[in-house]
Amino acid sequence: MTEVLIPSDATIVEIAQEVWSSILEDAGELTSVFGFDEKHETAVLAFIEITGNWHGSVRISCSVQAAKHIAAGMFGKSEIDVEDDELSDAVGEFTNIIGGNIKALFPSPCNLSLPGVAGIGSFADNLPPGLEDKISEVQVVEVHLEWEGEPLSIGLWENK
Amino acid sequence: MGPTTATCFPFLRDLVFKRSGIVLAQDQEYLVEARLGVLARELGFPSGNDLIGHAMESSDESLQTRLVECMATGETSWYRDVHPFDLMKDLVFPELISRKSLDRQLAIWSAASSTGQELYSVAMLLDYFFPETSDWDLKLIGTDLSEKAISRAKEGVFTALEMNRGLPAMLLAEYFHRQGAKFQISDALRKRTKFSTLNLVHDWLPSGKYDLILLRNVLIYFDVPTKRQVLSSIWGKLNDGGYLLLGSTETTLGLAEDILPVQSSGTTYYQKRGSQ
Amino acid sequence: MIALVVDDSRSMRSILARILTQLGAQVSQAGDGKSALALLEVGPLPDIALVDWHMPIMDGLQFVSAVRRRPEWRPMAIMMVSTESDQHHIVQALAAGANEYIMKPFTKDAVQEKLELLGIAVMNIQTKGNQGES
Ligand SMILES: C[S@@+](CC[C@H](N)C(=O)[O-])C[C@H]1O[C@@H](n2cnc3c(N)ncnc32)[C@H](O)[C@@H]1O
């Protein structure tokens, strides 16, 4: 494997903001923050795997409210009308787009898996359900973002 | 209490008008936060109005320049409106190339180039469809009021979102290479083009004459006297037989009676005849 | 204008369908290449298909190749809509017979401009978001 450069936090934040504002109409601002306070312990967890010249995964976790906001924006409906399957479809596609844009930072060829949405878990979980086989991955980037106080974090985990 | 919109907006409007000729309407107050908010926070001010308040007191030259830059809409895209580029491909360049086949030179000017998509679109079109001009003496210049836009144009690096805006996929594959998450235009095209800052209202226009001038989506921001002045000085920069293209909502009607529109390929162009 | 959106993600189909409807299109949808082909068999032939790359059952590239093997479907323009933004992917899609390519994420303006490039008449029925300039 060739030596690859791990993308900077700033690049990941930029990608997230670009995806956020272009797929959600009137999205509101997604801002970068240093960490989350205690009240956000449960989250929707999603991941996508990159293989090839870099091997690892992109893991996204966000509060249920943030996930609803994403789904509502993508489906063009109100947040109260968002069904569970729509929520996971939307978070999955959001993860797919972010993952695709992160993949583009690594030297090609790299491949992207289909996204997986692990359902509700805890922010503290380093290993959400569905990722048990990724026990050997180590986190190389972690960024925290916030939309109207609702948290969204993106982690890059490398399979060394 | 900090500075209010009631005092700041008139100051900003005056400043922008004096520096650039751009007219901000009274009901565009909302643009202040939208356009200056980020710069304000970057410079450590809580809001756009606070930043303007500071500019009112400090008469800081470079800050004023940045305020004007921020208020100038830089919105642009590749092959904008498509039809003008079809016109260049089907009419303007075939005619110019056959007429100039002896001196083998072409001078083209994008006179409010913003971040460069317009001039690079022309450069790609020439290279792709008229390879016979590759060894011609081509002068492709882009100018804009905004230093920031010009330095980005020189760099020729565009985000994926910008690449999506009207660029034919075939040309993306042909003329760009990746640079991390972004794309950079080929060195060959970057070397063939030249960008510099130029204020159409206050500066001397570049020397020499041009075969094609794009003055697109900039007159709309000016008042009538400024439109007239810019139009007539630009017209003076055209070679005989040279072409002028305006934005799709712009016209010379009511501004310059002697500059007559010609309709073709679903768009409008203006051509300078020998006598003009 | 009649448009066909092919993507395995319902939320992405919903975004595209909304944009296309605002641009005056009548939109049908399919979740993979195979069901999209089935829709084409029934007709009428859309003016354009917007096609994701990675999909289960039949992916976008296979769909493009299958469509281009049928002369009667030639008039339909195909635009890939994908997170893949490597140049070799774009070249591969064009070589298979796609006419345009748009990278995710995209804005409504971008979709509209690509349709204009393809010579497909759009009609801006609803201007939402940051259309036009101020
Ligand atoms: C909307 S953009 C148009 C860009 C491109 N011509 C197009 O049609 O896509 C308008 C540009 O005009 C520039 N501009 C405004 N006033 C100007 C002036 N007085 N002199 C030179 N450029 C000016 C702005 O900085 C901005 O980049």
Side-chain angles (χ1 to χ4, degrees), chain B residues 20-22 72-77 80 111-114 118 144-146 149 198-201 216-218 221-222, chain C residues 133:
Chain B
S20 68
I22 297 172
T73 305
E75 162 81 7
T76 189
S77 57
R80 187 165 185 175
S113 66
S114 191
E118 183 173 87
D144 197 280
L145 170 85
S146 161
L198 182 126
N199 188 326
L200 291 169
V201 178
R216 305 188 63 219
N217 303 298
V218 63
Y221 302 105
F222 300 154
Chain C
E133 25 196 297

Side-chain angles (χ1 to χ4, degrees), chain B residues 249-266:
Chain B
T249 59
E250 295 164 326
T251 168
T252 60
L253 287 176
L255 298 172
E257 300 312 330
D258 50 335
I259 306 182
L260 295 177
V262 186
Q263 316 287 338
S264 180
S265 297

Side-chain angles (χ1 to χ4, degrees), chain B residues 174-246:
Chain B
E174 183 86 18
Y175 293 106
F176 291 83
H177 53 264
R178 272 215 99 95
Q179 215 191 55
K182 299 180 181 167
F183 297 81
Q184 184 169 41
I185 197 150
S186 74
D187 291 347
L189 288 192
R190 234 158 16 111
K191 281 195 195 112
R192 197 175 283 181
T193 49
K194 213 176 139 188
F195 289 94
S196 55
T197 52
L198 182 126
N199 188 326
L200 291 169
V201 178
H202 296 304
D203 293 344
W204 293 102
L205 299 190
S207 63
K209 294 219 170 182
Y210 294 83
D211 301 300
L212 169 63
I213 300 178
L214 296 102
L215 180 68
R216 305 188 63 219
N217 303 298
V218 63
L219 289 180
I220 36 167
Y221 302 105
F222 300 154
D223 64 5
V224 169
T226 312
K227 284 182 190 173
R228 287 212 172 101
Q229 176 212 321
V230 170
L231 203 50
S232 104
S233 53
I234 287 276
W235 192 248
K237 285 277 143 197
L238 275 178
N239 277 324
D240 288 345
Y243 297 83
L244 172 68
L245 296 176
L246 301 179

